[in-house]
Amino acid sequence: MTARRQIAAGNWKMHGCGADLVELAEIASAAKPLSGIVTLLCLPATLLDRARGRGVELGGEDCHAQPSGAHTGDISAQMLRDAGADFVIVGHSERRCDHGESDTDVAAKAMAAWDSGLIAIICIGETEEQYRAGRTEQVLAAQITGSVPDGATPENTVIAYEPVWAIGTGLTPDPEDIQKTHAAIRATLATQHAMGGKMSILYGGSVKPDNAKVIFASPDVDGGLVGGASLKAADFVPIMQALNASKGGNQ
Ligand code: 13P
C-alpha cells in the first residue's frame, strides 16, 4: 500500500510577476532536502513557463472544462500542462463565489484536468453561515458528491478542504475540528470512490508558520494549501519544513 502524498502547496492567486520568482528560487532550494513531501506552487498562468524546471512542482489555479474553443480569456488544462504544470486547482471558493461556479462546473473541470494528464486539486469548504449552523459535514458531503467525478483516484485527485471563513482571515478551526472534518471527508470519499479513502486531503485557510505544526499533526491532514503565506519564502519554507518533520517519514 503506497502512502498518501504529503503536499505543501502554495496558491499565489492573483499575485506575482516575474520579479517574484526570486521567492520560488529560495523555496526550491529549501525543498531539495525535504524528500518526504511534494512542494508545489500553483501560480498565475503567466508565470508557469518561467517557473518550470526550477525544482518545485507547478500547478495552475483554474482551467476551463473544454479542451479548446471560443472562450476569450480562459485557459485550458492542456495549455497549463504545456506550460509546465502537473497539477491544477479547481473549484476554489474564490472561483465558486466570483465566477458562480457550481459543483457540476467543478466536476467538469476536474475531468478536463485528468484528460490532459493533470492532477486535479478539488476544493471544498463551508461558509461561515453554514459553519455556524452546524452544517459543515453535510455541506462538504454534498460538495464531494457534486464536485468529485467518477473515476477519481488517489493518483489523479487531491482534495483541499478550505473553510471559506478561514481563508485570508487569520481564523482557523480548532485542530480537533480539522481532524474530525478531514476524517469525515475521508469517510465520504471512501463510500463514493473505490480508493477514495486513500486520497490526499489538504487543509487550507490561514495556514501560517506558527500554526502549521499543530495543523499537520492531525493524522488525516496530508498537507496544506497555503495562500498569503506562500508568497514569501520566509513564510512558506517553515510551513514546508513543518510538514516534512510531521509526515516526511511516512513515505
Ligand atoms: P490563505 O492561506 O491566505 O488564508 O488562503 C488560503 C487559500 O485560499 C488557499 O487556496
Side-chain angles (χ1 to χ4, degrees):
M1 189 178 72
T2 47
R4 302 192 300 263
R5 283 190 201 95
Q6 303 295 321
I7 307 174
N11 172 11
W12 278 19
K13 308 190 179 185
M14 199 170 73
H15 299 285
C17 292
D20 298 298
L21 292 174
V22 295
E23 300 296 332
L24 183 143
E26 260 189 69
I27 289 167
S29 95
K32 234 179 253 169
L34 307 181
S35 56
I37 65 166
V38 175
T39 300
L40 164 67
L41 289 179
C42 297
L43 299 176
T46 47
L47 288 179
L48 286 173
D49 193 44
R50 279 178 280 177
R52 73 199 302 174
R54 294 193 184 208
V56 298
E57 297 282 329
L58 296 176
E61 299 179 7
D62 175 53
C63 66
H64 198 278
Q66 298 297 321
S68 63
H71 303 291
T72 303
D74 279 315
I75 190 151
S76 72
Q78 192 189 352
M79 291 168 182
L80 295 172
R81 181 106 178 110
D82 183 56
D86 285 307
F87 293 76
V88 63
I89 297 169
V90 294
H92 192 281
S93 63
E94 287 152 14
R95 299 286 318 175
R96 291 178 186 261
C97 177
D98 295 356
H99 299 269
E101 293 183 5
S102 66
D103 286 335
T104 308
D105 297 329
V106 175
K109 288 176 180 224
M111 288 190 281
W114 300 342
D115 285 346
S116 292
L118 297 177
I119 297 170
I121 302 174
I122 303 176
C123 299
I124 56 174
E126 82 284 2
T127 64
E128 182 174 8
E129 191 187 354
Q130 292 162 338
Y131 171 73
R132 285 186 189 281
R135 295 181 54 229
T136 297
E137 290 184 14
Q138 187 188 335
V139 167
L140 297 177
Q143 287 179 336
I144 291 167
T145 303
S147 308
V148 182
D150 288 347
T153 69
E155 285 73 39
N156 67 19
T157 300
V158 171
I159 304 297
Y161 166 55
E162 302 203 304
V164 178
W165 54 272
I167 294 175
T169 59
L171 303 172
T172 58
D174 293 335
E176 302 74 39
D177 286 341
I178 293 178
Q179 167 54 27
K180 184 169 162 279
T181 305
H182 276 238
I185 292 167
R186 192 174 301 292
T188 302
L189 289 167
T191 62
Q192 297 190 4
H193 300 276
M195 296 295 288
K198 304 275 178 235
M199 286 180 200
S200 295
I201 306 173
L202 313 185
Y203 169 79
S206 297
V207 177
K208 306 288 177 199
D210 62 1
N211 62 17
K213 186 176 172 207
V214 170
I215 291 171
F216 296 150
S218 292
D220 283 297
V221 173
D222 302 312
L225 182 56
V226 184
S230 71
L231 296 172
K232 296 284 176 209
D235 294 324
F236 195 50
V237 168
I239 294 172
M240 293 152 49
Q241 290 169 336
L243 182 64
N244 193 64
S246 170
K247 315 274 187 168
N250 295 349
Q251 296 294 302

